[in-house]
Amino acid sequence: MSWDMYDMTQKVQVVVVAIVLPLVILVASLWHDWVEEGQSPRARKIMKDWEWNIDEMAHAVNVKGRLIGYRVLQAGVIIYLGYSRFFRDYRSIELSVLAIVSIVAEVLFIIIKTIRNMAGDEDKTQMWKQMGHSVFNNLMYLCIVVDVFWM
Amino acid sequence: MRWNLYTSAEKMQVLWVCIGLPVLLLAAWLVRDWMDAGGSKKARKAAKALGSRTDEMEHAISIQAQAVAYRVTQAGIQVCLYYRLLIKGQAAMELCALLVVSGMAEVAVILVQTFRKAKDDEEHPPRLAFLIAKLTFCAVLIGLAVGMTVLTQNW
């Protein structure tokens, strides 16, 4: 079934499932990651109040799992873009936009956090260098995504 | 152009772009992350030999940024999947597969690493309640993607 075949109630249900549900999941997972990181006093307080005792090892394992999941997803996006372009003759605009949005989110996060952390640090050259390195890597990925999309 | 319209040389190029390049990128990312994390002696040695220096704070920032981007991508793919299935009425097996594969990779890493580390450290057994909660979250994401794909196919 497609959009114009739904009645009003079904349209509302579709909007809830297609937009609200992923947004709720996004907010919940970001909040969960923030609490688990426990870097701010507020996050630590929530952890304490909820008796959410996570040891360092479990946290390191989660971070690793997330990281590998992310890398697989990034490579999968390129495979999907290539597949839809070359095998099905269709340019997947949604996925390209998504890849760009996630890269922009990552780059912005790196820049903001680095600049905020730089305030108390005297040796800024090393931090600028590493921030530049991370941003450069993300821009390379962005170039590949755009390239595969436009091919 | 579609697959059956390509010449043999073009098919090779397409395979390289669609499979060779992403696999190579994935391998390079995983090696770099492994070196940056410096969890093993080998990783630290490789990082030293290659002159790759990452300070702890920068590493923490980069990991947080990747976590945010991962969550954004996961939610975004779900939106794309539901948009294709429910609004455009098209099949979207590939997007579903993408979510399932990345979710399964995350689950596999968590399980393997938890039990490997628990083996080395018998004094601190893994916290099963926490592990189950984590795995349930991944299973819900995978279930939502697969469930909706299967449901809409039967409409």
Side-chain angles (χ1 to χ4, degrees):
Chain A
M1 285 236 286
S2 57
W3 184 249
D4 41 358
M5 294 168 88
Y6 294 124
D7 61 32
M8 203 53 206
T9 328
Q10 285 172 325
K11 278 183 179 169
V12 174
Q13 288 170 352
V14 166
V15 169
V16 169
V17 171
I19 299 168
V20 180
L21 180 67
L23 271 182
V24 170
I25 291 176
L26 174 65
V27 172
S29 44
L30 285 177
W31 180 81
H32 172 269
D33 293 342
W34 170 73
V35 175
E36 206 183 276
E37 208 71 48
Q39 281 198 342
S40 70
R42 228 161 119 194
R44 284 194 291 274
K45 194 175 171 265
I46 293 173
M47 253 174 134
K48 211 176 159 188
D49 291 347
W50 289 38
E51 291 175 1
W52 190 340
N53 300 318
I54 176 168
D55 59 30
E56 227 163 273
M57 195 191 80
H59 177 61
V61 168
N62 280 342
V63 165
K64 217 177 219 177
R66 243 170 15 210
L67 201 62
I68 291 178
Y70 178 51
R71 295 312 191 187
V72 170
L73 211 53
Q74 275 189 312
V77 166
I78 299 178
I79 293 178
Y80 178 76
L81 282 177
Y83 168 77
S84 57
R85 179 73 194 93
F86 298 117
F87 289 80
R88 296 177 63 188
D89 202 17
Y90 158 75
R91 280 199 174 112
S92 177
I93 299 174
E94 320 91 91
L95 217 65
S96 315
V97 171
L98 177 63
I100 293 169
V101 168
S102 78
I103 294 166
V104 170
E106 189 177 339
V107 167
L108 277 181
F109 190 93
I110 290 174
I111 293 175
I112 292 170
K113 268 276 198 183
T114 308
I115 291 175
R116 273 178 64 184
N117 286 355
M118 233 179 234
D121 208 333
E122 280 180 11
D123 182 23
K124 294 188 167 97
T125 358
Q126 179 66 15
M127 289 194 79
W128 277 116
K129 238 171 150 178
Q130 294 206 337
M131 185 181 84
H133 190 237
S134 303
V135 172
F136 176 75
N137 280 337
N138 282 300
L139 291 182
M140 285 297 285
Y141 175 65
L142 185 69
C143 286
I144 292 170
V145 167
V146 173
D147 211 29
V148 174
F149 177 76
W150 282 116
M151 258 181 182
Chain B
M1 279 236 290
R2 275 173 181 271
W3 180 248
N4 44 16
L5 295 166
Y6 292 125
T7 62
S8 201
E10 282 170 335
K11 278 183 179 169
M12 282 302 286
Q13 288 169 357
V14 166
L15 283 181
W16 163 243
V17 173
C18 290
I19 299 168
L21 178 69
V23 169
L24 203 72
L25 264 178
L26 179 61
W29 278 327
L30 291 179
V31 169
R32 199 182 132 239
D33 293 339
W34 170 73
M35 277 187 344
D36 278 355
S40 70
K41 262 186 189 172
K42 227 165 145 181
R44 285 191 292 272
K45 207 178 149 196
K48 206 176 163 188
L50 288 169
S52 154
R53 270 197 317 151
T54 310
D55 74 3
E56 228 164 90
M57 199 180 76
E58 199 53 43
H59 180 59
I61 291 174
S62 147
I63 278 182
Q64 281 172 16
Q66 278 159 354
V68 171
Y70 179 44
R71 299 309 188 190
V72 170
T73 317
Q74 265 188 331
I77 289 180
Q78 257 183 345
V79 173
C80 286
L81 177 71
Y82 294 154
Y83 170 74
R84 287 269 298 273
L85 290 174
L86 299 170
I87 295 175
K88 287 176 90 178
Q90 295 171 344
M93 277 307 254
E94 315 87 311
L95 286 176
C96 176
L98 202 58
L99 273 178
V100 172
V101 169
S102 73
M104 294 295 266
E106 188 180 345
V107 167
V109 171
I110 291 175
L111 278 176
V112 170
Q113 289 273 325
T114 304
F115 288 106
R116 260 182 68 187
K117 291 201 169 160
K119 227 167 111 186
D120 298 337
D121 186 3
E122 283 175 359
E123 279 177 28
H124 301 98
R127 298 166 61 94
L128 283 181
F130 185 77
L131 190 66
I132 290 168
K134 194 80 209 168
L135 297 183
T136 310
F137 181 72
C138 293
V140 166
L141 281 184
I142 293 172
L144 278 173
V146 176
M148 194 55 78
T149 308
V150 173
L151 259 178
T152 46
Q153 269 185 346
N154 296 329
W155 281 0

